[in-house]
Amino acid sequence: MISPAFASILASGRAQFNARAVEARRRFPSLDMTAFGVFLHDGVDPLVQAVVAAAPERVGGVTLAAYDMALELVGHGLAGPAAKNPFLNTVWRELAPQLSTLLATAPIDVLGMLSNAAVHIASVAGARPAQWQRELAALAPQIATLAQLRAVGQVLAWRAGVAHFRLGALAAADTLPPALALAAFGEPGAQWPQVHAQLMANPWRGNAEGREFGSFSGLGGAFGTPPQVRATVDGCGFAVRSAERHYLLVADAYGAVLHSATAQEFEQAPSAPPASVRLDGATVHIGARSIALDLPAGDIALAANAHTLAITSPWTHAIRLLPLA
């Protein structure tokens, strides 16, 4: 059962809501009205109740906006019990109500922003959508504007594993009040200019161990054959070749993301590691550090960009990524 407040709004505007549903079924012939009803209960009702508590005079407009967007999301198969992206249901049910004050003033913008973010983050292999939602909900009371919501959402998406957001997220963080920017990075009490400078200078800040990326595609991984890796021309990522496919790998302290690339991009990429890196059997030396690799000695390949060493071997489908600093 939906809440009395939501039921009252639907009843008072029955003709208007029914007309919208009829039009949506014309645009989306496969729209499942039963699934839509479930999403009204699970996804729309919680945020309607939150707005009733925060700004009851605005609940009618919020409900209308949410109803229209819900029809479209369910029509596209993005929301509801059979959704392609179940995370979107959770964002509407659990995160949107936490932003009730902002939602009351700009429901289309807030719901659109949250929905787009949910779809994107859930589509990035290796990203951590639940972390993004949890951290954004915790910061919701401090978010006063749409611009702040957009910036905080981008920062937290980067921190949740969307590695290619790094530079955009740092630029977005600069637009926030320093206290909110620091809260988004979990560093209250620090000085934002110093934190920003450290994050810009060192993509691996806070993660001295690096990470391992990739596995055999036959087991759900990314690579059909053991990958070969070269640093990209711009020095920010890695060009990767596996079988006849080519990729761009972007990695940092928070995550690693693989994009499509071309054979030309791989061929143009330099492959030599810096002079500060040396391989001795199955031990790699980075400056004064020595790391024993769990790989057979021989045929180990090294590639490095400005901040990261990538290690590959014909005996594994994984790429080992180590900070150079």
Side-chain angles (χ1 to χ4, degrees):
M1 295 288 291
I2 60 175
S3 66
F6 190 24
S8 176
I9 295 168
L10 292 176
S12 64
R14 187 180 306 277
Q16 185 180 25
F17 287 115
N18 285 345
R20 280 171 152 73
V22 170
E23 172 59 20
R25 294 190 71 180
R26 185 189 66 79
R27 290 187 295 125
F28 307 110
S30 61
L31 174 61
D32 184 341
M33 294 307 294
T34 300
F36 175 65
V38 172
F39 188 60
L40 286 181
H41 177 275
D42 294 345
V44 178
D45 194 14
L47 63 88
V48 169
Q49 293 183 63
V51 173
V52 167
E57 72 282 1
R58 295 182 178 271
V59 71
V62 172
T63 301
L64 195 60
Y67 188 94
D68 285 344
M69 195 173 294
L71 280 168
E72 187 164 351
L73 291 173
V74 176
H76 282 297
L78 295 172
K84 303 171 188 174
N85 177 16
F87 179 56
L88 183 59
N89 296 335
T90 305
V91 165
W92 275 57
R93 182 177 64 250
E94 299 179 10
L95 178 57
Q98 303 299 315
L99 295 156
S100 57
T101 301
L102 194 55
L103 186 62
T105 60
I108 295 175
D109 293 316
V110 171
L111 291 175
M113 203 178 296
L114 294 178
S115 298
N116 288 335
V119 170
H120 181 75
I121 295 170
S123 72
V124 175
R128 302 176 292 278
Q131 174 187 322
W132 176 82
Q133 177 195 325
R134 181 177 65 254
E135 294 183 351
L136 185 52
L139 292 177
Q142 301 179 50
I143 297 172
T145 68
L146 285 171
Q148 290 179 5
L149 175 60
R150 184 179 294 107
V152 171
Q154 190 171 2
V155 168
L156 297 183
W158 171 36
R159 284 170 46 84
V162 187
H164 57 286
F165 274 17
R166 175 175 171 264
L167 292 179
L170 283 170
D174 269 339
T175 69
L176 294 168
L180 182 53
L182 290 166
F185 284 97
E187 301 194 34
Q191 297 297 313
W192 172 242
Q194 285 79 2
V195 172
H196 179 272
Q198 292 167 11
L199 289 165
M200 283 294 295
N202 181 13
W204 291 95
R205 179 181 182 269
N207 181 349
E209 301 300 318
R211 66 178 61 253
E212 190 170 277
F213 176 85
S215 58
F216 178 44
S217 58
L219 298 175
F223 303 125
T225 61
Q228 298 172 289
V229 176
R230 295 180 176 182
T232 55
V233 174
D234 63 9
C236 295
F238 292 97
V240 182
R241 176 169 64 194
S242 173
E244 300 303 314
R245 304 190 66 177
H246 297 84
Y247 308 91
L248 169 65
L249 174 63
V250 180
D252 64 15
Y254 297 127
V257 178
L258 202 64
H259 303 277
S260 295
T262 66
Q264 183 179 16
E265 289 171 307
F266 180 84
E267 296 300 334
Q268 290 176 344
S271 57
S276 61
V277 176
R278 180 172 59 87
L279 183 65
D280 180 14
T283 300
V284 63
H285 304 276
I286 306 174
R289 290 182 293 152
S290 298
I291 299 101
L293 305 175
D294 186 20
L295 292 168
D299 296 322
I300 295 173
L302 307 178
N305 61 27
H307 303 285
T308 310
L309 176 68
I311 303 169
T312 55
S313 163
W315 302 101
T316 177
H317 287 76
I319 301 170
R320 179 78 183 272
L321 300 160
L322 295 173
L324 285 175

